[in-house]
Amino acid sequence: MDQYEHERDGQYDFYKVFLPRVDPTRNVEDLLGDSNDGVLNGNLLEFKLHVSDLGAVLLQCVKYLSALRIKGKSVPANILIVDVNTSTIWQYRSAPYLAEIEKTYFGGASKNNAGFIGGNAEAVLHYDDPLGAERVVALLKENNFTKIHIDENCIVGWAERFYREVPTARKEDFLGDDTGKHKTIGEIRKPTHFAEYIYPYTGQTNVKFHYLMDKLNDTLQKKNLGAFYTPDLYAEKSLELVRAAIARVPVGNDYIILDRCAGTGSLETKLTDEELSHTVVSTIEYYEYKVLQELLGAKVRHIIPPVETAETFRAGLVAGSDALSKEFVENPVIRQYIDDPNCTVILFENPPFAETTSAEHQRMGQSKSSSVWKQSYVVSEMKKEIKGTASNDLGNAFIWSGFKYYLRQPTDSYIVYSPVKYWKAQHLIDREFLDGFAFNRRHFHSNIYACIMCALWLNQPSSQKEITIKAFDVDTVNNTLFPQDALSVKQIFSTYSQVYYDKRPIHEEFRKGILAGLDGLEKEGGKQRNRPAYSPDILGYMVAHSSGFDNPELDSSLLTAGRYDGNGFFLRKDNYLEKLPMFCASRYITYNRAWTERGRIMKSADGAEKFFADVASGKLAQFLLKCLLFTCTEMQNHMRTFMGSDGRFYRNELCLDTTSGETVASRDLKNLVLNEKEEAILRQWGRVFSWAQKAEKYDPSLTYGVYQIYAELDTFHTDEVTGDTVYDNVELHSALAGLKALVKEYYNTEIVPVLFEYEFLK
Ligand SMILES: C[S@@+](CC[C@H](N)C(=O)[O-])C[C@H]1O[C@@H](n2cnc3c(N)ncnc32)[C@H](O)[C@@H]1O
């Protein structure tokens, strides 16, 4: 009998022996992946060197099965506990433990399991004898599953799986019920695709899932509806702004609180009955509408449409509820208030969020033209008045139309959730800001840490250029709001490309050479949307594109040759130093990841006059050299040294490797009066470079920057057994990590404050 010191060895040996008999097409890695020891057909396996407490191991397995259910994965009918040193398997059935499996567990599955009292094993097998081994083979071939119940904890996982496995399915096919006019009975109520895995859900309506209805949208709806629900704590906090707006209602006036995109009514849940009696809600998605009807229908003044008819369901949407349609803008139920001079209008909304130009969006293969809302009445009207990218934003269509069609009097107001860009950079509105909050986007069913503003706008013109919002994160442990420092939001008026990009013409004779990709090497094939250039005064190519930080890696580049898709300019030796603050500012978000920064801080050229004056007077000479040191030691500088296919040698001049003589950077940095931090960075660079020179692939004819060292010399391989990454040059890898830490600290203390002072960051 084999004896093991490491559980993993026993586990891998077990699979090596049995997999060829059970399913030769699979390998060990396929079976892992959910942090357990493997799922093979209808079996969850858990390996131990020595099993000493079957109850504790059983509870550990129950926790793994609980995690599978939550992720929408089928729950194996068998639990196999394997003792690798005695070649023993205890087989349990999972069905008797369903109540435990359907609980949610926090913390490591292997912790706090002592004291669990399970039943007796179904069977005990010894696979060191042929008969036992054959029984194990038969068991591992079993493909049975324990049916689970659908609840709030697992429905999102099962919905995602359903839409993945049945790509043509719509939300009704998953969630449909028997209560409205439209009667598609969905998968959760009458399982066919999941017949072997789930029990029918017996809840009559979907109200229990009201807070999750955005996450239950099918893929197509996710694209078009841009639904990210507001967490309760934020919804409640924003009622302060609603109440401030109500306080401004002139004496004797009626008022309405209108939410055209209410979803399942998260924003309205905590309004008082009196306030609800002034509220008008609507939403476009059919199952949201039904839940909204159930939760608020009896309390609000109006819901649009007022009742469901045979015509209401229209391909998953609610006929007449598209807030961007002409029909909705002219809806008589709402119009009666808009046309009434004695009624004050308060809009209170968290508009859908879908920006079709973002890289995030395009990566998902969602082309610009595919968005239905782009063809809407409101968007086409908006395009007549609003030029540029502002009209690419679904949220903007709501904000713009809110002011355009609904607000008429100075005492009308709009409380709206949205990233600040519409006011800060796009100047979509010029109304007066009365008060507002900064909320963390992470808590709106999103993985992104960013600032969402909830602002109270008065319907009065204003020339404010700076506003202050109070920041609140959510303390998820105690489920309370966690106040942070108030944040300033300043408008921006000019971009780098308008003001700072070097636009001097390049003579045709130098318009040759090659183009580079994001990785700094020559870009071969693919679309090339830029013209190359090569001349003795050209150092490289810089991209410091776009005001925001939505795609920092795409929007900031430094390359030895022109970037294939442009959006930048060629850096010239005579003035490259004064261009570097743009590159430095483009790195801000990478080193300042707090949620308060993304979406709020942007790049601008608004301080250009002062900047140019102080560059001319020499006041900024040392600062520009600090920017140079940062540029030479920071990883996003993707300048590399290589031989181009045009036969030219492209040398990285913005790095500190002087093996083949001075670089432009090393020459200029001699003028930097070094402080301790700079000396430490240079020392660390020395370490990095000396280890780089020892790497197998080091080529002394090249001039290496930090990125080229990282990309070409800090090599690694994957350990075949453990799957771990193993670095071939551990000292080099460690030295690079050390440099990174020093550079980050240096950047935030010595460079960022000046970037703000000169409004490169604002
Ligand atoms: C960001 S969610 C906000 C929902 C809810 N008010 C909240 O704060 O949790 C936006 C909502 O707008 C709805 N929606 C999207 N496009 C719409 C349209 N054209 N007309 C009306 N509602 C729309 C979505 O279905 C979604 O429920």
Side-chain angles (χ1 to χ4, degrees):
M1 195 182 299
D2 290 325
Q3 289 298 304
Y4 297 97
E5 280 180 27
H6 301 287
E7 195 180 290
R8 208 176 174 98
D9 295 339
Q11 175 188 2
Y12 274 69
D13 278 358
F14 178 91
Y15 283 131
K16 269 189 212 145
V17 169
F18 285 101
L19 263 185
R21 288 285 321 280
V22 177
D23 186 351
T25 62
R26 308 197 50 189
N27 59 40
V28 185
E29 279 68 31
D30 291 346
L31 310 182
L32 311 175
D34 283 302
S35 328
N36 54 47
D37 285 352
V39 172
L40 181 53
N41 297 321
N43 304 284
L44 173 92
L45 292 99
E46 175 59 31
F47 294 85
K48 294 286 174 210
L49 276 179
H50 303 281
V51 175
S52 52
D53 178 351
L54 277 167
V57 186
L58 192 55
L59 181 54
Q60 183 180 350
C61 294
V62 161
K63 290 178 178 176
Y64 290 135
L65 296 180
S66 160
L68 292 179
R69 181 187 81 109
I70 290 169
K71 287 185 201 163
K73 297 194 173 183
S74 315
V75 169
N78 289 322
I79 297 170
L80 307 183
I81 296 174
V82 188
D83 184 316
V84 292
N85 278 320
T86 60
S87 304
T88 306
I89 293 182
W90 286 267
Q91 178 207 359
Y92 289 84
R93 298 274 185 221
S94 60
Y97 302 96
L98 186 58
E100 276 76 26
I101 292 169
E102 291 188 341
K103 290 181 187 157
T104 49
Y105 298 91
F106 300 97
S110 58
K111 307 252 158 58
N112 305 324
N113 295 330
F116 182 74
I117 301 172
N120 287 334
E122 182 87 7
V124 183
L125 312 169
H126 298 280
Y127 56 87
D128 52 354
D129 72 70
L131 218 51
E134 280 305 333
R135 283 181 65 196
V136 171
V137 171
L139 197 56
L140 292 175
K141 284 184 178 171
E142 278 186 18
N143 212 7
N144 303 322
F145 297 88
T146 294
K147 285 189 195 175
I148 56 94
H149 296 95
I150 292 289
D151 64 15
E152 308 90 293
N153 296 316
C154 73
I155 191 164
V156 173
W158 288 91
E160 285 171 357
R161 174 171 170 191
F162 186 66
Y163 299 134
R164 215 170 34 242
E165 293 181 1
V166 191
T168 53
R170 304 299 311 270
K171 195 172 184 176
E172 71 223 61
D173 301 320
F174 184 69
L175 269 189
D177 62 30
D178 185 24
T179 57
K181 296 278 175 195
H182 178 81
K183 293 195 199 316
T184 298
I185 309 297
E187 179 71 21
I188 58 168
R189 294 192 166 79
K190 209 171 155 200
T192 49
H193 186 73
F194 293 144
E196 288 176 57
Y197 313 127
I198 67 174
Y199 287 115
Y201 177 67
T202 52
Q204 218 194 353
T205 69
N206 294 315
V207 71
K208 216 170 170 198
F209 309 127
H210 71 98
Y211 182 56
L212 297 168
M213 290 297 260
D214 52 347
K215 300 182 89 173
L216 300 177
N217 282 339
D218 60 60
T219 322
L220 196 71
Q221 281 174 324
K222 280 204 180 110
K223 176 166 68 177
N224 283 314
L225 299 185
F228 297 94
Y229 287 180
T230 311
D232 285 350
L233 289 169
Y234 285 160
E236 201 174 345
K237 185 75 190 165
S238 57
L239 295 189
E240 290 175 20
L241 303 178
V242 176
R243 286 172 187 147
I246 296 174
R248 299 181 68 255
V249 175
V251 178
N253 260 24
D254 183 18
Y255 71 90
I256 57 161
I257 301 170
L258 171 62
D259 184 351
R260 297 168 289 165
C261 48
T264 53
S266 330
L267 290 183
E268 289 75 22
T269 315
K270 293 270 170 63
L271 285 171
T272 63
D273 284 355
E274 157 62 16
E275 288 159 345
L276 282 172
S277 73
H278 291 267
T279 301
V280 181
V281 285
S282 178
T283 197
I284 197 172
E285 198 273 316
Y286 179 76
Y287 291 98
E288 282 182 344
Y289 168 74
K290 291 203 346 164
V291 171
L292 191 63
Q293 185 77 273
E294 185 172 345
L295 290 177
L296 294 177
K299 294 184 172 172
V300 292
R301 188 173 291 188
H302 301 291
I303 179 164
I304 303 198
V307 287
E308 194 188 346
T309 66
E311 281 74 48
T312 301
F313 182 91
R314 200 185 281 166
L317 303 182
V318 177
S321 281
D322 177 359
L324 304 181
S325 66
K326 191 159 191 262
E327 181 188 6
F328 191 91
V329 171
E330 292 171 353
N331 184 301
V333 176
I334 301 175
R335 273 294 128 197
Q336 62 180 319
Y337 299 102
I338 310 298
D339 295 340
D340 177 358
N342 296 318
C343 179
T344 299
V345 177
I346 299 168
L347 282 174
F348 179 33
E349 295 177 334
N350 173 8
F353 187 81
E355 209 187 357
T356 48
T357 48
S358 74
E360 188 188 338
H361 188 91
Q362 303 200 348
R363 261 196 299 276
M364 290 163 78
Q366 299 170 345
S367 75
K368 288 183 197 174
S369 58
S370 66
S371 310
V372 177
W373 58 270
K374 292 215 145 192
Q375 274 86 52
S376 68
Y377 169 75
V378 162
V379 170
S380 62
E381 290 302 299
M382 174 164 78
K383 279 188 190 295
K384 291 180 192 162
E385 293 184 21
I386 305 292
K387 300 289 163 229
T389 53
S391 62
N392 282 332
D393 191 309
L394 177 55
N396 284 359
F398 274 81
I399 298 172
W400 177 82
S401 60
F403 285 96
K404 173 89 180 168
Y405 301 115
Y406 300 91
L407 303 193
R408 328 87 75 210
Q409 299 173 348
T411 44
D412 289 347
S413 6
Y414 194 173
I415 297 105
V416 62
Y417 284 73
S418 184
V420 299
K421 184 163 72 179
Y422 71 95
W423 179 79
K424 180 181 172 90
Q426 298 173 328
H427 308 169
L428 187 70
I429 58 162
D430 59 354
R431 304 285 100 177
E432 187 171 333
F433 168 87
L434 189 67
D435 199 359
F437 303 124
F439 294 147
N440 185 352
R441 184 171 163 191
R442 173 73 181 81
H443 306 297
F444 290 70
H445 290 173
S446 156
N447 292 326
I448 298 173
Y449 289 80
C451 173
I452 299 285
M453 174 165 77
C454 178
L456 164 53
W457 297 105
L458 309 184
N459 191 35
Q460 298 173 164
S462 161
S463 53
Q464 285 160 312
K465 308 238 175 321
E466 178 174 0
I467 59 180
T468 303
I469 51 182
K470 296 161 213 149
F472 292 90
D473 201 355
V474 172
D475 172 348
T476 44
V477 178
N478 299 307
N479 198 33
T480 51
L481 285 183
F482 173 60
Q484 293 182 228
D485 290 344
L487 303 169
S488 130
V489 182
K490 295 178 182 169
Q491 283 196 317
I492 60 170
F493 299 93
S494 55
T495 64
Y496 291 171
S497 63
Q498 286 163 342
V499 181
Y500 289 135
Y501 272 24
D502 192 336
K503 299 210 183 70
R504 288 177 290 177
I506 295 171
H507 199 280
E508 271 310 306
E509 77 176 277
F510 298 121
R511 277 295 189 179
K512 46 192 168 209
I514 55 147
L515 291 170
L518 296 176
D519 65 357
L521 292 175
E522 182 169 352
K523 167 99 174 161
E524 286 166 276
K527 269 201 189 131
Q528 310 232 324
R529 291 194 293 273
N530 195 5
R531 290 183 68 203
Y534 186 95
S535 81
D537 71 325
I538 288 179
L539 260 185
Y541 190 81
M542 179 187 288
V543 175
H545 178 59
S546 125
S547 308
F549 285 101
D550 289 342
N551 307 299
E553 314 303 325
L554 291 181
D555 290 341
S556 64
S557 275
L558 209 43
L559 307 169
T560 359
R563 193 169 125 174
Y564 75 102
D565 57 352
N567 282 325
F569 64 93
F570 285 95
L571 265 184
R572 317 281 189 99
K573 287 185 184 157
D574 61 348
N575 67 356
Y576 82 98
L577 275 171
E578 66 186 65
K579 308 295 175 196
L580 296 180
M582 283 191 274
F583 175 73
C584 297
S586 297
R587 307 305 302 141
Y588 179 71
I589 219 72
T590 307
Y591 300 107
N592 293 276
R593 294 198 167 274
W595 67 271
T596 50
E597 307 307 285
R598 194 185 285 261
R600 181 179 69 94
I601 298 299
M602 294 189 182
K603 296 172 256 172
S604 93
D606 295 349
E609 208 175 307
K610 178 166 137 136
F611 176 69
F612 284 133
D614 289 352
V615 167
S617 74
K619 186 176 168 195
L620 286 175
Q622 284 296 301
F623 171 69
L624 295 181
L625 293 172
K626 285 174 191 290
C627 290
L628 177 58
L629 180 62
F630 172 75
T631 303
C632 290
T633 47
E634 207 262 346
M635 201 61 101
Q636 183 67 15
N637 171 358
H638 284 187
M639 291 175 81
R640 291 209 218 186
T641 303
F642 60 91
M643 184 63 82
S645 64
D646 57 351
R648 288 201 180 87
F649 186 64
Y650 287 80
R651 184 179 191 228
N652 179 0
E653 292 287 351
L654 295 188
C655 68
L656 305 174
D657 170 7
T658 52
T659 318
S660 309
E662 291 281 21
T663 61
V664 170
S666 69
R667 183 199 66 201
D668 288 349
L669 276 174
K670 294 206 169 96
N671 297 321
L672 177 64
V673 183
L674 299 175
N675 63 21
E676 272 179 28
K677 287 178 188 170
E678 287 147 355
E679 278 169 357
I681 288 177
L682 289 174
R683 264 198 312 276
Q684 189 65 17
W685 155 257
R687 263 180 223 128
V688 167
F689 191 58
S690 66
W691 286 112
Q693 286 176 303
K694 296 188 182 85
E696 202 186 328
K697 293 191 175 150
Y698 173 73
D699 176 352
S701 73
L702 300 182
T703 299
Y704 285 89
V706 174
Y707 177 73
Q708 190 160 12
I709 291 174
Y710 155 80
E712 296 175 16
L713 306 180
D714 184 17
T715 50
F716 58 86
H717 63 270
T718 307
D719 186 291
E720 269 182 28
V721 177
T722 62
D724 295 341
T725 300
V726 181
Y727 287 94
D728 303 325
N729 306 292
V730 178
E731 287 86 354
L732 172 59
H733 188 72
S734 315
L736 280 169
L739 182 65
K740 195 171 172 187
L742 290 176
V743 168
K744 176 181 175 180
E745 209 273 326
Y746 178 62
Y747 176 71
N748 279 333
T749 52
E750 307 247 340
I751 295 179
V752 165
V754 185
L755 294 174
F756 274 106
E757 187 186 336
Y758 287 87
E759 301 187 41
F760 280 93
L761 292 170
K762 194 175 178 189

